[in-house]
């Protein structure tokens, strides 16, 4: 069996790079969703407060 170690290493590095890039993207998306969630919670609290004032 003749295994091209350079090709194997390149393939591994490429897959590892793709996984790291995907992980970074997911971290950014989580940060964005966390901020959006906080904004929506604040909007909900503001709406509840406005509704309570009207009652």
């Amino acid at each position: 069996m003749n295994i091209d170690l350079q090709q194997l290493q390149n393939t591994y590095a490429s897959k590892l790079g793709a996984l790291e890039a995907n992980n970074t993207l997911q971290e950014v998306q989580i940060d964005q969703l966390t901020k959006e969630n906080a904004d929506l919670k604040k909007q909900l609290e503001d709406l509840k407060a406005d509704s309570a004032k009207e009652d």
Side-chain angles (χ1 to χ4, degrees), residues 1 3-5 8 11 20 24-28 30 34 37 41-42 46-49 54:
M1 181 191 291
I3 297 174
D4 184 346
L5 292 179
L8 189 62
T11 300
E20 288 174 347
T24 300
L25 176 60
Q26 287 179 344
E27 288 174 357
V28 169
I30 288 169
T34 300
N37 188 37
K41 284 182 178 180
K42 179 159 183 0
D46 291 346
L47 286 171
K48 286 179 180 178
E54 292 175 2

Side-chain angles (χ1 to χ4, degrees), residues 12-24:
Y12 175 78
S14 176
K15 288 182 180 181
L16 183 59
L19 288 172
E20 288 174 347
N22 190 40
N23 187 48
T24 300

Side-chain angles (χ1 to χ4, degrees), residues 33-48:
L33 290 170
T34 300
K35 290 175 186 172
E36 287 178 29
N37 188 37
D39 289 344
L40 289 170
K41 284 182 178 180
K42 179 159 183 0
Q43 289 177 25
L44 179 59
E45 291 304 315
D46 291 346
L47 286 171
K48 286 179 180 178

